Amino acid sequence: MPHVRIHDLRHFFATSCIEAGIDIPTVAKWLGHRDGGALAMKVYGHLRDEHSKEAARKLTF
């Protein structure tokens, strides 16, 4: 296993949470951020695009 830093595990945790559908403000709070998710949105916001598309496919009219 290559060298893994604590930061790498933190990033993996946050990414996994967001991909599982947990909202960014909640993940940010779990990470100890007090900015309401602003920093997490900058870092992880791109992950939401696929999640959003997947959620939209679930809609039926």
Side-chain angles (χ1 to χ4, degrees), residues 4-26:
V4 176
R5 302 169 298 153
I6 296 291
H7 179 79
D8 299 326
L9 296 174
R10 181 178 169 91
H11 185 77
F12 175 75
F13 171 77
T15 301
S16 297
C17 289
I18 293 166
E19 288 179 346
I22 300 169
D23 60 279
I24 288 179
T26 298

Side-chain angles (χ1 to χ4, degrees), residues 18-40:
I18 293 166
E19 288 179 346
I22 300 169
D23 60 279
I24 288 179
T26 298
V27 175
K29 186 176 179 182
W30 290 350
L31 293 173
H33 296 184
R34 295 181 184 194
D35 61 2
L39 177 60

